[in-house]
Amino acid sequence: MFVPILDRDVTFVKGVGPNKSSLLNDELGIHTVRDLLTDFPSRYEDRTQFRKIADINNNGEVVQVKGTLKSLASVGSARKKRLVGQFEDDYGGKIELVWFRSTKWIKDNLPAGAQYVVYGRVNRFGRKLNIAHPEIERLSQHQAKQTSTFVPVYRSTERLNASGLDSKGRRKAVLNALKMLKADDVPEHLPTYLMEKLHLMSYYEALKRIHFPRNNEELLEAEKRLRFDELFTLQLSIVRQYKANKAAHKGHVFASIGQYFNSFYHDKLPFELTNAQKRVIKEIRQDLKSGTQMNRLLQGDVGSGKTMVALMTMLIAIDNGFQTCLMAPTEILAQQHYESIREMIKGLGLRVTILTGSIKGKVRQELLKLLRLGEIHILIGTHALIEAPVKYKNLGLAIIDEQHRFGVAQRARLWEKGKTYYPHILVMTATPIPRTLHMTIYGDLDVSVIDELPPGRKPVVTRHKTEYHRPQVIEFMRKEIATGHQVYVVYPLIEESEKLQLEDLNNGYERLLQDFPKPEYQISVVHGRMSQDEKDFEMNRFVEGKTHIMVATTVIEVGVNIPNASVMVIENSERFGLSQLHQLRGRVGRGAKQSYCILMTSFRLTEEGKERIQTMVDTTDGFEIAEVDLRLRGPGSIQGTQQSGIPTLKIANLVRDHQIMRTAREIAMRILDKDPGLLSPHHEKLRHYMEKYVDTPEDWSKIS
């Protein structure tokens, strides 16, 4: 059976062989020639520049020098034996070259007295410089083959380096692989019309030039083609999944807006909806009457009114004869939702009930019975909602709050609770997600954004303070408490870490007891090592106003709504990510009064730390903050995205290449609108390429 060269085992490449092939498999996941050629260089070096040895000062500096190998000699004995070469450049500068292995080959192939080019990392011992295991070749050979200023450098490991597959060895393997290929061996998969429109070089040419560009222009063109290729095929895959879900998953048709929705809207709505809330409700309404299952992400900053939108969506479902549920990540948050929703719908004749792990015995059995009979309209709870005994008569809508707090399997089990059709799904998050990540993590979900705060909400005033200002901060906390307000103090650690030398929660608590002594002041403590009952007890004391200060780790980050809390002090705030700081700040500013966030840091901050803190001081816009966080920390670190299927990209970058991503998605949407199956002659090669090499993404919308 004929196997295309790109799909052959990497052992097929000259100089690789079974042993090196096995190592490439194990260390880098490289199995085929295609894998080898699409493991792109991490950077490039300019090997046309040479340093004078006399000018080298920095230990650890990577340099290239040329000169004469004056002598070679074995030094030491037994395990300390090594080969040392005395190397001198044309200006009289001297450096030692040291080899601990492959010494026989060095002696046989690198005669003293000849001229060489040496490349490697400099080490300094006393007044002497040396380079251990340098890259070295005859000057004449270097000059003969030097056609480019760009020498590719590849990622490696200790095992690869030891086996001769360091960057130099990889260059040889890649060069040998490219020599095997002709243009016909690398068929073009992008449609000709698209390549002409975007001025893209061929895939064959791009694979050659990304490894060995002859100039900067070639490198940029190769990168342009390969980055677009990667993001376009990714988006094509995600958009196909999105469209397939729309076609495959029928949904209950909520055709009418009835008594419950209208009564609530006209008689009980506590405040005028923002334009953003109205827009989002219209988007949801279109989904609910479309006949296909809704899978929508509702994203809104802290305090933007997501719960109100969720409640009004529930009322639409109930008006159409269906039950609804809302799943929250903690008992406290579930209880909070239960109390606020029960209060808002009082008098409508609807039954709202809460189900958590702490509800047991006869009360639980009676609740489950009423649920099966359809007498409960709204069920609010924790992961208890997805347990096997929980059965609904006709669940039509499931809402998941702070969805990233639930595991994939948990969310999937909620999906299965529907009867004739899967329930409509609305997932909510207060973690602002940059649009670039929308297109990947939630690329097959519809996204609604509430980008407006309700009227009357005052932005939280944020200030940056250091230890020098601590007396002022303590005094400010006392003044706020004296006016009847409450204060959060958040720490990054529970126990002291000598390595990080951070203020920890236990020490901070002891110090606060000195500044806020009992019985005049009461302090609650909550952290991740406490049992759920202990956390709930302390949180409830704070919610009920029995304590003035809540000392906590980030367990209070999501969900708890205490309008009376007006101050958030975050210790060692330089140790938190931006999105996390923003979430923490969102715990205050829940009422009409002015609230404050105080970011305590050490005196010394890195440049990145300064930018993070200054961003928090300058803006309360969660989306702006999320964009900065994405740029500084990368997509994998954005809070709430770790489970969400961020793709592993080989050459594209979600931050740098966001414009390419947008273009790729728009083109993918246009192509699939006209040719959903990629069946036209223009798209035949693209279809085959997608089927063979691009993994279909997991059906994220089913479990989000």
Side-chain angles (χ1 to χ4, degrees), residues 638-692:
I638 300 299
Q639 185 195 13
T641 63
Q642 288 84 350
Q643 307 183 54
S644 304
I646 296 175
T648 300
L649 300 174
K650 291 186 174 183
I651 192 167
N653 178 291
L654 292 181
V655 181
R656 178 196 59 216
D657 300 325
H658 60 90
Q659 191 55 55
I660 300 176
M661 172 76 86
R662 289 189 176 94
T663 301
R665 186 170 180 85
E666 288 166 7
I667 293 172
M669 292 285 274
R670 284 201 298 269
I671 287 175
L672 292 172
D673 282 343
K674 294 179 181 177
D675 186 13
L678 299 177
L679 298 175
S680 81
H682 294 299
H683 301 140
E684 184 179 1
K685 291 180 180 177
L686 179 59
R687 184 180 76 251
H688 290 319
Y689 180 83
M690 294 291 295
E691 289 170 353
K692 191 166 185 179

Side-chain angles (χ1 to χ4, degrees), residues 95 119 155 250 320 356 389 403 422 434 471 539 643 674 689:
I95 193 168
Y119 181 87
R155 62 189 178 129
K250 301 298 182 186
N320 286 273
T356 66
Q403 59 87 32
Y422 293 128
M539 282 297 250
Q643 307 183 54
K674 294 179 181 177
Y689 180 83

Side-chain angles (χ1 to χ4, degrees), residues 152-171:
V153 178
Y154 300 90
R155 62 189 178 129
S156 192
T157 66
E158 285 187 21
R159 291 182 69 201
L160 289 172
N161 290 341
S163 71
L165 281 171
D166 55 6
S167 207
K168 183 178 180 180
R170 289 278 295 286
R171 282 198 295 273

Side-chain angles (χ1 to χ4, degrees), residues 94-113:
K94 297 177 182 178
I95 193 168
E96 286 187 346
L97 309 180
V98 183
W99 292 270
F100 297 93
R101 56 183 182 270
S102 305
T103 54
K104 184 178 185 306
W105 186 93
I106 299 295
K107 285 180 181 179
D108 292 344
N109 291 277
L110 301 180

Side-chain angles (χ1 to χ4, degrees), residues 23-31 39 155-157 160 170:
L23 265 179
L24 286 169
N25 295 174
D26 295 343
E27 297 291 293
L28 299 178
I30 292 174
H31 298 276
D39 192 61
R155 62 189 178 129
S156 192
T157 66
L160 289 172
R170 289 278 295 286

Side-chain angles (χ1 to χ4, degrees), residues 483-643:
T483 62
H485 295 152
Q486 292 165 285
V487 177
Y488 290 107
V489 181
V490 179
Y491 291 86
L493 296 178
I494 297 172
E495 295 172 351
E496 186 176 5
S497 165
E498 292 180 4
K499 183 178 179 183
L500 296 178
Q501 295 185 346
L502 300 180
E503 284 289 338
D504 69 288
L505 184 144
N506 291 331
N507 287 342
Y509 173 63
E510 293 297 328
R511 187 166 66 181
L512 280 170
L513 286 175
Q514 297 174 18
D515 292 318
F516 297 92
K518 295 179 180 179
E520 184 180 357
Y521 298 98
Q522 295 295 318
I523 302 176
S524 292
V525 179
V526 173
H527 58 73
R529 293 188 185 174
M530 297 168 67
S531 70
Q532 190 60 52
D533 287 345
E534 290 171 327
K535 287 185 212 171
D536 290 346
F537 175 76
E538 289 294 329
M539 282 297 250
N540 285 327
R541 289 177 65 208
F542 194 60
V543 169
E544 293 165 7
K546 294 178 180 177
T547 57
H548 304 98
I549 299 171
M550 165 67 73
V551 178
T553 54
T554 54
V555 293
I556 54 91
E557 179 185 322
V558 169
V560 185
N561 183 17
I562 303 174
N564 195 48
S566 64
V567 180
M568 166 69 67
V569 179
I570 305 175
E571 297 285 353
N572 301 110
S573 53
E574 71 271 26
R575 298 289 178 176
F576 293 89
L578 264 175
S579 288
Q580 199 171 34
L581 287 173
H582 182 63
Q583 285 285 303
L584 288 167
R585 178 168 61 183
R587 295 306 99 221
V588 295
R590 313 288 287 193
K593 294 188 174 66
Q594 182 63 63
S595 292
Y596 304 87
C597 178
I598 300 171
L599 304 176
M600 301 295 295
T601 73
S602 61
F603 292 103
R604 294 182 180 180
L605 290 177
T606 63
E607 288 304 312
E608 182 181 315
K610 289 176 185 175
E611 184 173 0
R612 283 210 307 270
I613 299 301
Q614 195 57 47
T615 299
M616 289 295 297
V617 170
D618 290 345
T619 183
T620 56
D621 184 331
F623 298 98
E624 184 179 336
I625 288 167
E627 292 288 351
V628 176
D629 205 21
L630 178 63
R631 175 169 54 80
L632 291 177
R633 297 202 298 156
S637 300
I638 300 299
Q639 185 195 13
T641 63
Q642 288 84 350
Q643 307 183 54

